Amino acid sequence: PRHSPSAMAAPAAAASSGSLPKLATFAGEPVAKPAMDAIPERARSLATKTYRPVFWHDDMLFLIDQRALPTDFELTSCNTVAMVGECINLMVVRGAPAIGAAGAYGLVIGARKALSDGGDLAAVVAAAKAAKVELDAARPTAVNLEWATARMAAIAEALAGIDGMTADRLTSTLLTEAHELCDLDVRTNMAMSRFGADLVPEGANMLHHCNTGALATIDFGTALGVIYECHAQGKGVHVWVDETRPRLQGARLTAWELMRAGVPMHLIADGASGGLMRAGKVDVVVFGADRVAANGDTANKIGTYTMCCAARENGVPAYAVVPTSTIDLTVPTGEGIPIEERSGDEVRCIKGAQVAPEDCPVFNPAFDVTPAKMITGIITEMGVCYPPFAVSLRKAKEAAEEAIKAEWDAKLAAVRAGSA
């Protein structure tokens, strides 16, 4: 018989699993949480009814410490480029769009430091470019980080070429553009969510891997955004949530988000998804990505390839949901996508508790690449791309970049006019 959410037991509450490692450059305890009514509108998440995972307040960057969830809800603040980079590397902030936003604010922090040190226009631009180099090295696979920092560095350089531009004005404009990048992410996610929801039948059982929701983006999410939209439309969907070893983003973060939103779901071990598909209990697979090659090969959280193999074997459609900023046309195929390898302790331990022999050798790639032939479609803010992906992805990417360029050209013209 097909799955009936109401006929199955509710998921058990997560148990506490001890203290978290602290960042070496941080002063110890998590920062005090600002009152919700004291923070700007753009700092509030509509999806989770709390803070956005990345927000600017009181001249400082705040991040939800995602290592702490679901047992603790903590914020971390950053006021140096090195702190932002460390937060990205240690996955205090994670999810390709979210780390892109953090990177954008990291450039602002670098520029503001140069300004406070008495630097002139050239020094501020140089500081922004140096911040880009430092931040891009924090995590190599997610192209959104590189995309966001490149956009911010290009803006700094363009502003510096305007007659009458000052270091102070340039730095202020960079902060405004970082805010706009976050607002763009929300608009992008909402558009993808609508396109994706159109593909999901009523009463569908959906399988989701890792975390792609409001915690991984600025708000709503990519693949999880599609699920939120289906739920909002009353489609009666149910979600199978892969736990997503080794860092358990599905168990810790996606389950937390969906339960807050009241979306019917059940947490499953990663190895359970194939059996569910074979039994006919999965109708649609949705996942995000950290980089998509020009031919449609897609790098996402480790385990995505295995999931998509099972989906293809069982005739289940599998959709990647990605903003066009995740599409990297400079990489022809997935063979050219760098795959981050992380500490073996992430596999040997779970939140500090040892689960394997201390000296056990570990291979721990953070991502794998799913060949384009395994993917039914790639949902973007410009619409759904279908094979041949080499054609459809390029068309979507170029259309999105043209729209962004036209918007920035108009802003630049206004700045020039104001400086005349």
Side-chain angles (χ1 to χ4, degrees):
R2 290 193 53 78
H3 164 75
S4 171
S6 61
M8 300 183 72
S16 177
S17 52
S19 61
L20 292 162
K22 295 299 179 185
L23 297 176
T25 56
F26 282 53
E29 294 305 312
V31 297
K33 301 179 184 70
M36 290 298 291
D37 59 1
I39 62 174
E41 191 73 27
R42 63 161 40 97
R44 305 173 195 171
S45 168
L46 295 177
T48 63
K49 306 295 187 271
T50 182
Y51 311 96
R52 287 180 173 179
V54 178
F55 67 95
W56 188 267
H57 178 61
D58 276 353
D59 291 330
M60 193 175 295
L61 175 62
F62 285 83
L63 306 169
I64 294 177
D65 188 342
Q66 298 190 33
R67 304 168 307 164
L69 289 167
T71 54
D72 297 294
F73 189 91
E74 298 176 354
L75 295 181
T76 286
S77 61
C78 302
N79 56 17
T80 69
V81 174
M83 291 167 78
V84 177
E86 192 170 12
C87 280
I88 292 171
N89 179 260
L90 294 182
M91 297 176 69
V92 171
V93 59
R94 31 72 50 206
I99 66 174
Y105 283 120
L107 256 75
V108 173
I109 289 171
R112 287 165 67 98
K113 177 64 166 61
L115 182 66
S116 68
D117 288 345
D120 60 8
L121 190 62
V124 168
V125 173
K129 290 181 177 180
K132 171 182 167 47
V133 173
E134 182 174 349
L135 292 164
D136 285 354
R139 295 201 73 188
T141 301
V143 73
N144 300 64
L145 175 58
E146 214 174 287
W147 175 85
T149 57
R151 171 176 166 160
M152 294 293 288
I155 287 171
E157 197 159 16
L159 290 170
I162 296 175
D163 289 341
M165 179 57 60
T166 65
D168 183 71
R169 188 179 179 195
L170 185 147
T171 305
S172 175
T173 304
L174 278 181
L175 178 58
T176 299
E177 288 306 311
H179 292 331
E180 172 54 30
L181 186 144
C182 291
D183 294 343
L184 173 63
D185 180 70
V186 177
R187 295 194 299 271
T188 295
N189 294 341
M190 294 179 76
M192 289 189 295
S193 298
R194 290 190 289 268
F195 285 125
D198 288 343
L199 303 173
V200 179
E202 297 276 345
N205 285 303
M206 305 178 71
L207 174 62
H208 179 273
H209 192 63
C210 197
N211 173 260
T212 64
L215 291 169
T217 61
I218 296 302
D219 208 354
F220 298 108
T222 56
L224 212 53
V226 173
I227 292 169
Y228 282 138
E229 180 64 20
C230 289
H231 181 66
Q233 291 182 13
K235 284 195 164 185
V237 298
H238 164 269
V239 187
W240 299 111
V241 177
D242 273 353
E243 62 177 345
T244 319
R245 283 280 288 144
R247 292 188 65 99
L248 299 171
Q249 291 97 324
R252 295 189 302 104
L253 307 177
T254 297
W256 181 83
E257 283 199 40
L258 291 178
M259 290 176 75
R260 285 179 71 88
V263 179
M265 54 77 62
H266 284 84
L267 180 65
I268 59 172
D270 291 346
S273 62
L276 285 170
M277 284 187 261
R278 187 171 181 273
K281 294 184 177 181
V282 177
D283 300 298
V284 182
V285 172
V286 290
F287 56 93
D290 288 75
R291 191 181 302 232
V292 178
N295 73 335
D297 291 351
T298 297
N300 190 46
K301 187 55 55 190
I302 192 73
T304 304
Y305 172 57
T306 307
M307 177 181 68
C308 287
C309 286
R312 191 181 194 210
E313 172 66 19
N314 291 283
V316 178
Y319 294 97
V321 188
V322 303
T324 53
S325 57
T326 301
I327 301 168
D328 188 352
L329 297 178
T330 70
V331 177
T333 72
E335 296 300 316
I337 298 176
I339 300 298
E340 176 187 5
E341 291 185 30
R342 296 183 62 83
S343 168
D345 285 341
E346 292 185 350
V347 179
R348 284 187 289 261
C349 305
I350 297 179
K351 295 192 82 172
Q354 188 175 319
V355 296
E358 187 175 0
D359 58 351
C360 179
V362 171
F363 175 54
N364 184 25
F367 306 94
D368 57 26
V369 175
T370 300
K373 66 182 181 181
M374 303 279 190
I375 300 171
T376 307
I378 299 176
I379 301 165
T380 78
E381 75 274 21
M382 306 305 292
V384 184
C385 297
Y386 292 104
F389 289 123
V391 175
S392 60
L393 289 175
R394 179 172 293 276
K395 183 178 179 181
K397 176 77 170 182
E398 290 178 349
E401 291 297 318
E402 284 174 13
I404 290 171
K405 183 179 183 301
E407 183 180 347
W408 173 244
D409 285 347
K411 288 182 181 178
L412 208 56
V415 173
R416 287 195 182 98
S419 299

